[in-house]
Amino acid sequence: METIILSSAYLAPIKYYTKLYSANRVLVARYDHYIKQTYRNRCVIVGANGTLSLTIPTEKEDHPKVLMKDVRISDHGNWRHVHWNALVSAYRNIPFFEYYADDFQGFYEKKYSFLWDFNEALCDVVCSLIDLHPDMAGTDEYQTELSDDVQDFRDVIHPKKDYKEADPSFCPLPYYQVFKEKFGFIPNLSIVDLLFNMGPESLLVLRDSQR
C-alpha cells in the first residue's frame, strides 16, 4: 500500500497495526469528528472470563460535534486503575508481560488531558517495542476528497464491523494466547494481546496477517 488514513485508536486492534506495517505512509485523522463506541477510546483484550472491552471515558462537550484533537479525557470511574488492573489480571502470568510492563504502567499513572495525545504516545511506544517504524503523521485538516493513491480505513477498522467483510486483505495469523485452551483463538484483539503473548515475534505475525 502507498498511503493510508486511519482514525486515532486506543491500543488499537491487530488489524490496525498490519496497516502500519504494510503502508508506505500513514495519516492519522486529527480533525475528524469524534465518534463514541469506536476504537478511538476502546480496546478489547481477553481475560479469564473472556473478551473484555476497556473504554476511556471522555468529557461531555457543549456541542455534539467535537474534533478528535479536542476530546478531553475524563477521570470518571477511576478508569486508569481499572484498565491497568485488567491488563495485569489478564497477562501477568505471561513472561513478556513482565518484560514490557514498565513501558505501559506509566500511562496509567500520568494524567493526559487529551485523548489524541494519549493514543499517539501509546502507539509510539508499541511501535518501538515491536520494532515497527511507520512513517506516520497527524492530519492538518479534515480529509474529505482523497486522491486515488490514498486508502481510507477510518470507518473500516471498527469494533462493530466484521473484519472479514470489511477488509478481506486482513487474514489474522493464529498465535499463542494464554487463554486459547479455554476460549479458542480470538482474532483481532488489542495489539497488547499480541505483544504480551509473542514478544519480539509480534512483527512476524503482523507481516503474515496481511494478504
Side-chain angles (χ1 to χ4, degrees), residues 169-209:
S169 68
F170 175 60
C171 185
L173 181 74
Y175 58 88
Y176 170 80
Q177 290 178 333
V178 67
F179 296 108
K180 187 174 181 179
E181 290 187 3
K182 188 173 184 180
F183 302 113
F185 175 71
I186 302 176
N188 204 33
L189 293 170
S190 168
I191 188 64
V192 293
D193 185 82
L194 174 59
L195 182 63
F196 294 153
N197 279 297
M198 297 299 291
E201 295 184 40
S202 298
L203 192 66
L204 301 179
V205 176
L206 296 179
R207 182 195 67 186
D208 295 338
S209 294

Side-chain angles (χ1 to χ4, degrees), residues 5-20 26-30 32 34-35 37-44 54-56 68-69 71 73 79 83 104 107-108 114-127 136 138 153-159 188-192:
I5 184 168
L6 299 167
S7 297
S8 177
Y10 168 47
L11 292 177
I14 291 168
K15 179 178 176 179
Y16 189 102
Y17 280 84
T18 64
K19 305 308 179 189
L20 299 188
V26 180
L27 300 175
V28 185
R30 285 199 307 163
D32 61 337
Y34 174 68
I35 302 174
Q37 298 183 7
T38 64
Y39 288 123
R40 290 172 177 84
N41 70 323
R42 173 191 299 186
C43 72
V44 181
L54 302 177
T55 302
I56 299 175
M68 179 63 206
K69 72 180 185 67
V71 175
I73 295 175
W79 71 269
H83 286 208
F104 289 92
F107 285 95
Y108 299 94
F114 293 95
L115 182 61
W116 167 268
D117 295 333
F118 183 71
N119 286 351
E120 296 313 296
L122 263 176
C123 183
D124 287 345
V125 166
V126 169
C127 286
M136 296 180 69
F153 290 98
R154 286 175 292 185
D155 295 323
V156 173
I157 302 176
H158 193 289
N188 204 33
L189 293 170
S190 168
I191 188 64
V192 293

